[in-house]
Amino acid sequence: MCSVAGVGAVLTVAASAVASNQGSRKVSTGSTKITTAPVDAYAYGKKAEEARAQGTRKVNAVRNAYLQSEGKTQSTLAAGNVSLASGSAVDLLVNNRAVAQHQMNTIAHESEVAAWEYDVAKTKADAYSVVPTRKVHKDSWGDTLTNPLFIINTAQTGLSLFRKR
């Protein structure tokens, strides 16, 4: 079991690693190695959520500004006895709507790209946090055939096949 002080030390080191922008690395404290990858993954996930939320707020702000300007434009045209059903008044209103829609689409796209970048960083940090349970090491045949332990183990295995039972 871990002591409370030990857990506190681990969290302190992980937090300082994240604060110092080390990101997904192993931090050594004496004989203990701590990976900051789970903390980084959480932080990147929160940043992705914030990027999406910020994009939504900006799109709403542009939409509200457009709706206000559309109302002002319509009232100005109506005050000048300009018909809103045809001609340049309709062109003006349609063009303003197209510009506002383009702005909203651009903002939404930029926020999704930023969120995607954080999602990729989160996925990488999640991958770093996976700890292998066993190491697999493949030797080349040249190394294997010159390794005395391999030769001894192979000879013992071969001899054990001919033992009397």
Side-chain angles (χ1 to χ4, degrees):
M1 288 213 121
C2 293
S3 68
V4 174
V7 171
V10 168
L11 291 176
T12 303
V13 170
S16 68
V18 171
S20 66
N21 203 14
Q22 289 183 357
S24 296
R25 297 188 185 164
K26 290 184 179 175
V27 179
S28 296
T29 58
S31 64
T32 307
K33 289 186 180 180
I34 302 166
T35 180
T36 62
V39 177
D40 293 341
Y42 177 78
Y44 287 132
K46 288 300 180 183
K47 287 181 180 182
E49 289 175 16
E50 179 56 31
R52 286 186 179 94
Q54 185 176 7
T56 301
R57 285 191 299 272
K58 286 181 179 180
V59 165
N60 288 337
V62 169
R63 181 179 293 117
N64 289 338
Y66 160 71
L67 292 174
Q68 289 174 354
S69 71
E70 182 181 36
K72 288 178 185 177
T73 303
Q74 286 177 355
S75 63
T76 302
L77 292 171
N81 285 334
V82 177
S83 172
L84 298 177
S86 64
S88 60
V90 170
D91 292 339
L92 178 67
L93 293 173
V94 168
N95 288 340
N96 286 347
R97 181 173 289 165
V99 168
Q101 187 63 49
H102 177 70
Q103 287 176 340
M104 289 185 285
N105 290 343
T106 301
I107 291 169
H109 173 73
E110 289 171 354
S111 69
E112 279 301 315
V113 167
W116 175 80
E117 289 172 351
Y118 287 125
D119 286 338
V120 168
K122 178 185 181 303
T123 302
K124 287 181 181 179
D126 282 336
Y128 285 126
S129 68
V130 174
V131 178
T133 56
R134 122 186 152 159
K135 293 182 180 179
V136 177
H137 180 69
K138 293 184 178 180
D139 292 327
S140 68
W141 275 107
D143 293 340
T144 303
L145 294 176
T146 58
N147 183 351
L149 289 177
F150 174 76
I151 295 170
I152 292 169
N153 288 336
T154 304
Q156 287 175 346
T157 303
L159 291 174
S160 69
L161 293 175
F162 296 105
R163 281 191 202 159
K164 293 184 180 179
R165 294 183 188 198

